[in-house]
Amino acid sequence: MVSRSYSNLLELASGGSGGEPLPSLGRRRIPRVVTASGIVPDLDVSDDDAASAASDHSSHAPRERVIIVANQLPVRAARRGEGAGGGWDFEWDEDSLLLQVRDSLRAHHGRADVEFVYVGGLRDDVPPADHDEVAHELLEGFRCVPTFLPADLRSRFYHGFCKQQLWPLFHYMLPLSPELGGRFDRLLWQAYVSVNKIFADKILEVISPDEDFVWVHDYHLMVLPTFLRKRFNRVKLGFFLHSPFPSSEIYKTLPVREELLRSLLNADLIGFHTFDYARHFLSCCSRMLGLKYESQRGYIALEYYGRTVTIKILPVGVHLEQLQSVLNLPETGVKVAELLKQFYHRNRLLLLGVDDMDIFKGISLKLLAFEQLLLQHPEWRGRVVLVQIANPARGKGKDVKEVQEESDAMVKRINDAFGQPDYQPVILIDKPLQFYERMAYYVVAECCLVTAVRDGMNLIPYEYIIARQGNEMIDRILGLGPSSRKKSMLVVSEFIGCSPSLSGAIRVNPWNIDSVADAMDSALEMPEGEKVLRHEKHHRYVSTHDVGYWANSFLQDLERTCLDHNRRRCWGIGFGLKFRVVALDPNFKKLAVEHLVSAYRRTTKRVILLDYDGTLRRDAEWQTCVPVIDCSWKLIAEPVMKTYTETTDGSTIEDKETAIVWSYEDADPDFGSCQAKELHDHLESVLSNEPVSVKAGLNHVEVKPQGVSKGLVAKRILSTMQERGDLPDFILCVGDDRSDEDMFEVITTAAARGPSLHPEAEVFACTVGRKPSKAKYYLDDPADIVRLVQGLASVSDDQAHDGDAAAAADTILR
């Protein structure tokens, strides 16, 4: 039976259910929802059906298409005339990163034929009566699909959950009181989820899930991957977070922490600007979901229910062509000449800050540091000017107003204390500037100060470097010759995303006022030759790692990650935002008890290998039929393990007769892993003369006799039976952890190659749970295993009764 969500997709694709018809997107491709194997669980499609479905598509290879999804579309809208009915005008927003991605990719990276479709909101409220007209114009003229949100819903989504709860928390502000970030409000969370659902519905109108790539941007849409994955199990989906990701100690205070993590893990590729942000995300996955990550040929990857989720670490860059075109504008040159007259012709050195007016940009701390500079270095009074460009805050609220008032008060205090009739130490520009004006300030600034207390990537330093490199027109205005080497200086906070990539900058802790003041002085006093070398180093990096390089690298990794989508079998499990997809080998299937019992009934020489812990219940009674192995080595190993248990809260020791295991499953994962490595080395040292091996596994360290493994035991059993001439015709092998994979490998290899089995042997290698395994079958939990064994036991009882009757008859005949 097709689930409700998929039946809705079918209605959507056909334009039914009383809804509006789908907008045309040129050569519209209807998603093959039901005919694609694996999209609907337990629905298999034959090769002929698949070929028939494929023939319905275009006969030529489809053009690559990327659907870019973000909170806002890269367009500006303006109503014509006064009042309603005047229509709308639209133009591209040249400052939008999403537009820069398209232009830069098409220009430089061999993706000129890529079709880009944008899904997102508009900054302006569009009346419901205009929705159809606006949607049609944006789709036909700009390849944009607008998401129209009611004003109250958009406010609760953006100014509510995004800006009052997610954004402060991601910037390390805990909601300790209603005034600090605001307490968690479930109504705002519901608005956030509702808006993400609206975005998903809009994507469904244009996506061809077998062919399109979907690239979702930023924290506004963190639950969108779940909605898309639920509808299309094999959707090719990337997500990039443009803000910091906080440490696990901060993040885990969020009441919906698990829902957001699981939603992000429904993407194929998750991108971060820095390793710190990625490390914090991976730590959260480890501590809250118990997931482990590993490096796979240079890529960091998480295994999530059989799917490989790749982690991408690459900072975004600037759009070089746009910056260079702005530098070439005549008005830029006019503004540069004006600023030279205002500052350098009067022997003034310009320090520049460009920040949004919000609490995380550290404007007040920067002003305090500049005040300290003038106090400690009187020689700079009358010579150094700090120009602080304060862009309007993207959020709103009490904290924004407080930052504005504090900055104004500090500027007035500094100017009153150090100002002169012809000298104003601080110039605060709190009105919007044209981009060319900002570039002109970059050109004439001796040093750029970016001292945010916590920020995402922040491209201001990159823009400054490109502006200082200049061009022929700028060089003429500055009086520089053709052979003049350019220079620049940067003072950047340790807590911004671009800091790791700017090794020539002076890095500071913005909270340390004295340190920032000293950094300003060092930047002003630095020899010209060193400024040149630092600038050239920065310019090489910025010019080669532009926005096109970043976008192309992300899409390449997304394509690589999604290569095996169609080779895996998929199941959707879980409800709501805990939904996830299990992706497994096509031949991997659930073991049918009826099939197993039938095979057991018609066979006579049987081998049954069952794991104990995790596969069968622990209160079962067992007897051993093998000789007791000398375990005197435990007297050495156990005291060592006890020492680590005492110092590692949550760790345990388990004696398994022939082995002993130290487990840290309930300990802090990072500390437990560190202790496990140390314990492993310690045990190898003290047991070097003992006939045992020390192995580290998932959340445990195990000591056991050498040459003893489940795989070797299975091999020995088969070889012994072969020597006796009893070739088994039935094998059941069941286990749940990594050590059981050795058993599965021996069994499956014997079935494929060796003469140790009957030619028509029935082989059942079964793991517990749907997960990647060398076994061909799975059962959901240990309760299924117990029911299976009970079924086999009932067959054995019946056969034993029949055997006794036959034996009695033979005896009578003799």
Side-chain angles (χ1 to χ4, degrees):
M1 178 179 178
V2 180
S3 67
R4 180 179 179 183
S5 61
Y6 290 110
S7 64
N8 288 344
L9 282 180
L10 293 173
E11 292 170 356
L12 178 64
S14 62
S17 72
E20 299 174 0
L22 291 175
S24 170
L25 191 63
R27 42 179 191 80
R28 176 76 177 101
R29 300 189 293 270
I30 301 300
R32 293 188 296 115
V33 179
V34 172
T35 58
S37 175
I39 294 297
V40 179
D42 302 325
L43 177 64
D44 293 325
V45 181
S46 68
D47 293 340
D48 292 340
D49 292 337
S52 176
S55 66
D56 293 338
H57 284 236
S58 173
S59 58
H60 55 79
R63 180 182 180 187
E64 183 181 2
R65 189 166 70 166
V66 179
I67 300 175
I68 298 182
V69 192
N71 179 42
Q72 290 187 340
L73 292 171
V75 294
R76 299 183 186 275
R79 182 180 284 281
R80 301 189 203 107
E82 297 292 335
W88 293 80
D89 290 321
F90 302 98
E91 63 178 359
W92 288 115
D93 180 2
E94 300 294 337
D95 295 332
S96 171
L97 174 68
L98 307 183
L99 182 63
Q100 295 171 7
V101 164
R102 184 200 69 175
D103 294 345
S104 191
L105 276 177
R106 287 180 172 175
H108 294 291
H109 294 282
R111 296 182 183 266
D113 294 332
V114 175
E115 180 183 356
F116 290 90
V117 180
Y118 295 100
V119 177
L122 291 168
R123 295 178 177 85
D124 303 273
D125 288 324
V126 178
D130 294 345
H131 285 183
D132 289 344
E133 176 190 352
V134 169
H136 178 77
E137 289 189 26
L138 286 175
L139 185 59
E140 295 300 324
F142 296 85
R143 282 297 185 263
C144 290
V145 179
T147 55
F148 300 113
L149 303 178
D152 61 330
L153 179 61
R154 183 170 66 176
S155 179
R156 283 184 282 123
F157 157 71
Y158 183 74
H159 295 293
F161 193 78
C162 289
K163 284 301 182 181
Q164 289 182 20
Q165 297 185 353
L166 273 187
W167 189 73
L169 188 74
F170 279 27
H171 289 75
Y172 285 68
M173 177 182 284
L174 291 174
L176 300 175
S177 69
E179 290 76 24
L180 294 175
R183 298 279 168 79
F184 181 80
D185 186 335
R186 191 155 291 276
L187 292 177
L188 299 182
W189 162 245
Q190 291 170 355
Y192 181 83
V193 174
S194 296
V195 170
N196 277 250
K197 176 67 165 57
I198 291 172
F199 272 76
D201 292 340
K202 285 296 179 181
I203 295 171
L204 296 183
E205 296 181 3
V206 295
I207 189 173
S208 179
D210 293 337
E211 300 164 4
D212 296 342
F213 291 90
V214 182
W215 188 0
V216 181
H217 289 262
D218 223 359
Y219 64 95
H220 313 91
L221 302 171
M222 291 176 70
V223 299
L224 179 57
T226 288
F227 290 122
L228 293 179
R229 185 70 61 190
K230 188 172 185 179
R231 287 163 172 79
F232 305 115
N233 291 170
R234 293 190 179 94
V235 64
K236 294 178 280 192
L237 178 60
F239 181 94
F240 199 94
L241 183 68
H242 292 273
S243 77
F245 196 94
S247 69
S248 60
E249 290 300 307
I250 298 293
Y251 179 78
K252 69 182 182 182
T253 63
L254 186 65
V256 291
R257 61 194 189 184
E258 184 175 331
E259 288 87 339
L260 290 182
L261 285 181
R262 291 195 182 278
S263 292
L264 289 178
L265 290 170
N266 275 322
D268 296 297
L269 178 66
I270 308 173
F272 299 92
H273 286 306
T274 72
F275 173 70
D276 273 349
Y277 302 162
R279 176 169 57 88
H280 293 159
F281 172 77
L282 293 169
S283 176
C284 289
C285 291
S286 173
R287 292 170 180 270
M288 296 169 206
L289 303 180
L291 301 178
K292 299 295 182 183
Y293 65 91
E294 61 182 2
S295 179
Q296 298 180 350
R297 298 187 177 182
Y299 297 95
I300 299 176
L302 285 159
E303 285 296 322
Y304 187 62
Y305 291 92
R307 293 176 49 250
T308 298
V309 181
T310 305
I311 306 300
K312 175 77 172 176
I313 303 169
L314 185 66
V316 72
V318 293
H319 189 6
L320 289 175
E321 289 74 14
Q322 182 197 30
L323 296 180
Q324 289 162 353
S325 66
V326 173
L327 281 176
N328 284 323
L329 294 175
E331 50 263 47
T332 304
V334 172
K335 185 63 178 180
V336 169
E338 177 186 319
L339 294 176
L340 288 175
K341 183 177 180 181
Q342 180 181 353
F343 296 105
Y344 280 88
H345 294 171
R346 300 167 68 181
N347 197 30
R348 304 273 162 75
L349 296 176
L350 178 61
L351 300 180
L352 179 66
V354 181
D355 304 278
D356 292 345
M357 185 62 79
D358 69 51
I359 57 177
F360 298 111
K361 294 302 189 287
I363 293 177
S364 58
L365 294 175
K366 186 189 303 181
L367 293 171
L368 286 174
F370 183 69
E371 183 180 39
Q372 189 80 344
L373 173 71
L374 298 181
L375 282 171
Q376 294 180 347
H377 299 276
E379 67 273 16
W380 293 124
R381 300 175 191 172
R383 285 203 61 205
V384 176
V385 176
L386 171 61
V387 174
Q388 176 62 54
I389 299 174
N391 302 317
R394 300 179 188 180
K396 60 183 180 180
K398 180 181 176 182
D399 55 349
V400 174
K401 184 178 180 181
E402 289 176 350
V403 170
Q404 178 73 61
E405 292 174 350
E406 182 183 21
S407 299
D408 291 341
M410 293 179 66
V411 168
K412 184 177 185 305
R413 186 182 73 215
I414 295 172
N415 286 339
D416 289 345
F418 302 102
Q420 300 171 8
D422 62 342
Y423 170 67
Q424 187 177 0
V426 181
I427 299 175
L428 180 64
I429 302 175
D430 56 3
K431 63 179 181 179
L433 291 182
Q434 296 291 326
F435 192 26
Y436 79 87
E437 295 178 292
R438 194 168 86 199
M439 291 294 287
Y441 275 102
Y442 288 146
V443 168
V444 299
E446 188 71 15
C447 177
C448 185
L449 311 172
V450 185
T451 55
V453 297
R454 184 71 59 180
D455 204 357
M457 187 55 203
N458 199 319
L459 296 176
I460 298 300
Y462 290 7
E463 294 176 355
Y464 169 69
I465 291 164
I466 297 301
R468 291 288 288 184
Q469 185 67 17
N471 55 34
E472 291 183 4
M473 178 189 74
I474 296 297
D475 289 349
R476 287 196 303 271
I477 296 172
L478 296 176
L480 300 176
S483 60
S484 298
R485 300 175 70 184
K486 309 302 172 60
K487 61 180 182 178
S488 64
M489 276 307 302
L490 282 165
V491 174
V492 300
S493 165
E494 299 170 355
F495 306 114
I496 63 175
C498 63
S499 176
S501 60
L502 297 171
S503 57
I506 302 176
R507 297 194 183 101
V508 296
N509 174 3
W511 301 98
N512 189 333
I513 304 303
D514 291 334
S515 174
V516 178
D518 291 342
M520 293 179 183
D521 181 61
S522 297
L524 293 168
E525 292 280 8
M526 188 171 290
E528 298 296 299
E530 187 170 350
K531 291 182 181 180
V532 168
L533 292 177
R534 292 182 182 228
H535 169 79
E536 291 176 347
K537 183 178 184 179
H538 289 161
H539 185 259
R540 279 195 301 271
Y541 176 83
V542 175
S543 59
T544 54
H545 292 73
D546 64 347
V547 66
Y549 175 89
W550 168 77
N552 188 61
S553 178
F554 187 90
L555 290 177
Q556 283 181 338
D557 280 0
L558 181 58
E559 291 166 357
R560 176 188 56 80
T561 303
C562 297
L563 277 177
D564 68 342
H565 271 200
N566 292 328
R567 296 197 294 267
R568 311 301 296 275
R569 198 172 182 191
C570 299
W571 290 268
I573 61 174
F575 298 97
L577 294 180
K578 292 187 178 181
F579 174 87
R580 60 266 190 204
V581 166
V582 178
L584 300 169
D585 187 272
N587 297 321
F588 191 70
K589 54 189 176 183
K590 189 168 184 176
L591 179 58
V593 176
E594 298 81 6
H595 179 42
L596 180 74
V597 170
S598 174
Y600 185 85
R601 190 184 300 276
R602 63 176 178 265
T603 54
T604 57
K605 294 182 175 62
R606 306 151 179 155
V607 176
I608 300 178
L609 304 170
L610 300 178
D611 176 41
Y612 176 42
D613 291 339
T615 302
L616 293 174
R617 291 166 179 167
R618 298 192 177 204
D619 59 359
E621 295 183 2
W622 292 90
Q623 291 183 343
T624 178
C625 59
V626 297
V628 177
I629 299 174
D630 178 20
C631 293
S632 59
W633 51 267
K634 288 186 179 180
L635 299 176
I636 303 173
E638 190 168 5
V640 175
M641 288 186 173
K642 284 183 176 178
T643 301
Y644 285 83
T645 302
E646 292 170 359
T647 58
T648 311
D649 189 29
S651 63
T652 58
I653 300 175
E654 184 176 5
D655 193 328
K656 292 189 172 183
E657 297 185 6
T658 60
I660 186 169
V661 179
W662 183 82
S663 172
Y664 62 95
E665 185 174 359
D666 296 325
D668 179 277
D670 293 331
F671 182 57
S673 176
C674 179
Q675 291 288 81
K677 292 176 183 177
E678 181 66 24
L679 173 61
H680 181 275
D681 294 343
H682 194 164
L683 288 171
E684 281 196 331
S685 175
V686 299
L687 296 172
S688 58
N689 296 323
E690 300 292 332
V692 296
S693 61
V694 183
K695 292 188 177 181
L698 181 62
N699 297 327
H700 73 270
V701 176
E702 181 179 25
V703 183
K704 61 183 179 181
Q706 290 177 350
V708 175
S709 73
K710 294 178 183 178
L712 289 174
V713 170
K715 187 178 294 185
R716 184 175 303 170
I717 290 173
L718 295 180
S719 62
T720 300
M721 294 185 69
Q722 182 181 7
E723 291 170 0
R724 294 201 312 247
D726 293 331
L727 298 182
D729 54 4
F730 175 94
I731 296 182
L732 172 63
C733 180
V734 186
D736 76 308
D737 61 22
R738 172 63 187 87
S739 63
D740 299 310
E741 296 297 319
D742 298 334
M743 222 174 16
F744 297 149
E745 185 174 16
V746 169
I747 298 302
T748 53
T749 300
R753 304 177 190 169
S756 57
L757 301 184
H758 189 279
E760 298 181 0
E762 302 271 8
V763 178
F764 301 91
C766 179
T767 188
V768 181
R770 299 183 184 184
K771 60 189 178 184
S773 174
K774 294 175 183 175
K776 183 179 179 180
Y777 299 96
Y778 74 90
L779 286 173
D780 291 323
D781 53 47
D784 290 339
I785 307 296
V786 173
R787 286 192 292 270
L788 179 148
V789 173
Q790 289 172 343
L792 299 184
S794 64
V795 174
S796 296
D797 290 341
D798 294 341
Q799 292 180 342
H801 180 269
D802 295 340
D804 291 341
D810 290 342
T811 303
I812 294 171
L813 288 172
R814 281 191 200 91

